[in-house]
Amino acid sequence: MADIIDGKAHAAGLRAHLARRVAQLHADAGFVPGLAVVLVGEDPASQVYVRNKAAQTRECGMQSIEHRLPASTTQDELLALVATLNADPEVDGILVQLPVPAHIDPERVLLAIDPAKDVDGFHPLNAGLLATGGSGLVPCTPLGSLMLLKDRLGSLAGLHAVVVGRSNIVGKPMAQLLLREDCTVSVVHSRTREPAALCRQADIVVAAVGRPRMIGPDWVKPGATVIDVGINRIALDDGRTKLVGDVDFDAVAALAGAITPVPGGVGPMTIACLLHNTLTAACRRRGVELPD
Ligand code: GUN
């Protein structure tokens, strides 16, 4: 039976460490990092995420600045708010919660965010810096997944990592991060031939496809480390719903070396890394060294 990687506990430890550093910065440099979160519309899942982000921001001692806009907000109005936040010296990080309503082009919005405040790491400049070895801001879910992998495995150099999924938000930046750690990286996607056979060669599997329980035991080498990024809500026979990952947890846990559960694996790490990025952005913007 695989070891279960406790993302919830790891995220709590990371947040406690962040809180200590935020307090030290306040004492030494006299400022409090500020994170602005913008939610357009009333998507229920987004409302829960935004509430959690705001609460955890405050718990870490940082300032949470929330902007809740109606679904009827125009693209120009949203761009004007982003411009205001870009110019606000108290705002170190800006996050526009996705998805935005259909009449707004998310690419336009992400491009408008000052890359130095882009704590999601979604701006093409930050994506380019990640690909070319620079130090920009790194997307939170891949960053959190990498922290769990390094905590478990130490050096990742020379390991074969297979990333299942090629989204701009997770799959592509995850592959870049693993490459930066000297892994040999394969990216499996919908057009890959024999994906299970390829995945079965991997020392590390990162599943980020958004398909419930797609990765079965025939995809995983015995002893491999499995990171499940998927969060899928499925209907049960009795009418209730349940959150499951992209990995068939029970079957894969029987042979993997270690695996993240859903919920309680990568999910909590994402918000903790958002706060980590906010602290990093604040120190860089303000020309202050990041405390240990
Ligand atoms: N919606 C779901 N996850 C995310 C995220 O990490 N960032 C943003 N901006 N929106 C999201």
Side-chain angles (χ1 to χ4, degrees):
M1 178 72 186
D3 292 336
I4 310 298
I5 298 174
D6 189 345
K8 203 172 160 190
H10 198 95
L14 179 56
R15 291 199 307 272
H17 184 214
L18 287 168
R20 283 195 295 276
R21 294 196 288 172
V22 168
Q24 191 183 331
L25 268 179
H26 191 212
D28 295 349
F31 73 88
V32 175
L35 172 62
V37 176
V38 181
L39 174 62
V40 186
E42 277 95 43
D43 178 68
S46 292
Q47 285 178 329
V48 174
Y49 283 133
V50 166
R51 205 178 313 130
N52 287 341
K53 285 171 186 170
Q56 293 186 24
T57 304
R58 286 191 292 269
E59 276 166 31
C60 277
M62 298 197 265
Q63 195 191 348
S64 171
I65 303 136
E66 287 153 68
H67 289 271
R68 290 167 192 272
L69 307 178
S72 58
T73 303
T74 66
Q75 177 162 294
D76 284 348
E77 286 167 339
L78 180 56
L79 291 173
L81 173 60
V82 169
T84 305
L85 297 171
N86 281 341
D88 186 338
E90 294 294 308
V91 172
D92 296 290
I94 303 170
L95 178 145
V96 177
Q97 184 70 23
L98 300 175
V100 285
H103 63 276
I104 296 175
D105 176 3
E107 294 296 322
R108 276 291 302 276
V109 178
L110 298 181
L111 267 175
I113 295 172
D114 178 350
K117 298 189 178 188
D118 170 38
V119 283
D120 261 328
F122 293 165
H123 191 286
L125 182 79
N126 283 318
L129 286 169
L130 178 59
T132 55
S135 54
L137 291 162
V138 175
C140 304
T141 299
L143 183 59
S145 301
L146 183 72
M147 287 180 184
L148 294 178
L149 281 170
K150 288 174 76 165
D151 185 58
R152 165 85 194 171
L153 297 170
S155 168
L156 309 184
L159 298 181
H160 183 199
V162 169
V163 179
V164 188
R166 54 172 159 178
S167 69
N168 287 341
I169 293 178
V170 183
K172 284 183 204 161
M174 189 76 238
Q176 295 290 355
L177 277 176
L178 290 164
L179 202 50
R180 209 162 78 171
E181 296 297 324
D182 298 322
C183 288
T184 301
V185 182
S186 306
V187 179
V188 164
H189 51 79
S190 54
R191 306 297 293 271
T192 300
R193 292 189 193 144
E194 307 215 35
L198 182 66
C199 206
R200 214 163 41 235
Q201 297 174 23
D203 305 301
I204 294 169
V205 177
V206 180
V209 264
R211 283 171 172 257
R213 296 175 175 151
M214 189 185 94
I215 312 292
D218 53 326
W219 289 61
V220 177
K221 178 168 76 176
T225 303
V226 179
I227 302 290
D228 189 353
V229 176
I231 302 180
N232 310 288
R233 190 167 285 284
I234 60 163
L236 298 174
D237 290 342
D238 63 7
R240 289 179 306 153
T241 65
K242 182 181 184 197
L243 286 184
V244 300
D246 292 347
V247 177
D248 181 351
F249 182 85
D250 291 339
V252 171
L255 79 154
I259 184 168
T260 59
V262 176
V266 174
M269 291 299 288
T270 296
I271 299 186
C273 286
L274 173 68
L275 305 177
H276 167 91
N277 280 351
T278 303
L279 179 61
T280 302
C283 290
R284 286 190 189 153
R285 276 188 61 247
R286 297 172 192 252
V288 174
E289 199 174 330
L290 196 64
D292 285 338

